[in-house]
Amino acid sequence: MIEVVSAERCVTCDKCVLACPTNVFDLGPDRIPVIARQSDCQTCFLCEAYCPADALFVAPHAHPEPAGSPLRDERHLAAAGLLGSYRREIGWGHGRTLGASLAIGPDVLPGFGRPAAPATASPATAPPSPERHDR
Amino acid sequence: MTTADTRSPAIADLTADVFVAGGGPAATWAALAAAEAGADVVLADKGYCGTSGATAAGGTGVWYVPPHPAEREKAKASREALGGYLADRRWMDRVLDQTYANVNELAGVGRYPFPIGADGAQIRRGVQGPEYMRRMRIRVQRAGVRILDHSPVLELLADASGAVAGVAGIRRQLDTGYRVRAGAVVLATGGCAFLSSALGTNVDTGDGALFAAEAGAELSGMEFSNAYAIAPAFTSVTKTAYYSYATFFHADGTVLDGAGSTKGRSVIARTLMAEGAVLCQIDRASEEVQRQMRAGQPNFFLPFDRLGIDPFTQKFPVTLLAEGTVRGTGGIRIAGDDCSTSVPGLYAAGDAATRELICGGFTGGGSHNAAWAMSSGSWAGAAAARHATALGATARRREIRPLGEAGLRPAGTPGDPGQYREVVAAVQEQVLPYEKNYLRHGERLRPALDSLDATWTALRAGLRGSGAERFRAREAAAMAAHARWMYHSALARTETRGMHKRADFPEQDPAQHHRLLTGGLDTVWVAPESASAVEVAS
């Protein structure tokens, strides 16, 4: 769930308020977004992707972090390189290569409750097959 | 924020030729197709068009198969048996053609940056969710579509003949109402995952199915509603495919036999129920595969990187999250090739509609789902535009009446506005547990359905929300309705077919080789699709 809005980093662009699909943020009295409805957060990480200032952090747990958790500690997260890490991975932001253009996943192995991925190119010339994965 | 339900909020009155409910792939392709057909389009999403729904938060393969006869044949045959032979090859052909065209369009005018393969050609068989959906939003905006974000639909409006004539909803960030008079409405609101937190699905509460049923439309395949996906325990990241490289273990570290094979997920479910924990390690991925996984699905690694777990060398606990009819194939029944429903002026697309036409009773990965979303969206949008054009100016002169009932206009005295939370909890208690929904048995389905019927009766009498959050009560009602259609259908299908597996009827029964339709709200009915209905659908 969303745990951190860094007032220090925030550029008050309000993009997170708009882009959050479950409307978790409100504007605070100083115009910096606040986490108004954390329980509505669906832990989809998309607010981070849309934040141009790397000011947000979504902990991967689908429940709130307990007091004292390092995943609520902005300084720890910054030092660990976690602030803005999702945005970096998908290549959003000036000067980066879009992750979508590099997204060639591995073949998905057959036999896991699904059939083998149907081949759509002849084996001799087939490039690595992007995954057919669950959403 | 005002929450007093006595206040009458400001209402914005809009008109459009076509109204699209939803903001994911099906909705955006529908809006584009309608706009390209010359229609004036309004699209409203409960959240934000571009981040809402299962696709935006993840990534998905696409059923993109070049039009070579042998490849197409192989693609069509690949899942027919798994789907219980309820799919329709003519629909598969149509979806394969439309998907091929749409993906090529996405690469062309949509400028989607597909990766380049070793042969120098773009690989167009998968899309990254955030990138795909931000580009679809841009395309929709540039087509002149008016987008209302954070604007959940509350109900459909109909004319005197019963034809759908618009919608009413709320703009939750403004705390105002809106009403759109439209010549036609496309429901592309997604499936229903019962607020399980499976990645990106908490906006998918089955609202469109409730609206459709209130207008008199039917549903189909609602027994195919028990998809569960693997996620690291206590997280939301449901990316089952990469677990084909995993080994599963009991809590004591011994290998869990059978997990990871064809019946892998039910073994995991049984072990979670019996022992409380299942561990996993993605120990069959070479270094090259590990690198490809990171490139292919960066969000797969978010939980691991943030919790300090190396999934390739360390064991971590996993869980199964319900995906209901998001990945299950049931939904609003499609009555014609143009994705019309049986109600004039009402169209359905994407996960809100049944996907049985191309998948039967099973879907594995997202590829068919993504193909269905873009194809059905394009057809529904174009057909809605034609319908609106045919109505012309009469569409705006129609007398309209609202159709919303459960959660909006209770039959009795309205209860506490927070009552929706109890309804959600009561529904989740019947549809999330593996022993009720996943590992189905009549002895467990029947009492679960009794409980859901009682929940429905109570909410019908008194559930009503208030203020900007009053769509919550509608979501709760939609989930309850969805669950009842699911279990009525699951009890009626006394066999095992597709993803619907009955422990008390473990075999496929040739006499039940038909789709099951369902519908109704206070009284739910289930009936085999009749011969004439099959003709319409195929």
Side-chain angles (χ1 to χ4, degrees), chain A residues 18-19 23 43 48 107 120 134, chain B residues 51 125 173 236 240 245 306:
Chain A
L18 184 61
N23 196 33
T43 318
E48 283 190 34
D107 285 316
T120 52
D134 294 299
Chain B
T51 63
R125 285 169 291 167
Q173 290 190 332
S236 61
T240 298
Y245 289 91
R306 293 171 182 214

Side-chain angles (χ1 to χ4, degrees), chain B residues 184-201:
Chain B
V185 171
V186 178
L187 294 173
T189 47
C192 180
F194 299 101
L195 298 173
S196 72
S197 279
L199 192 62
T201 64

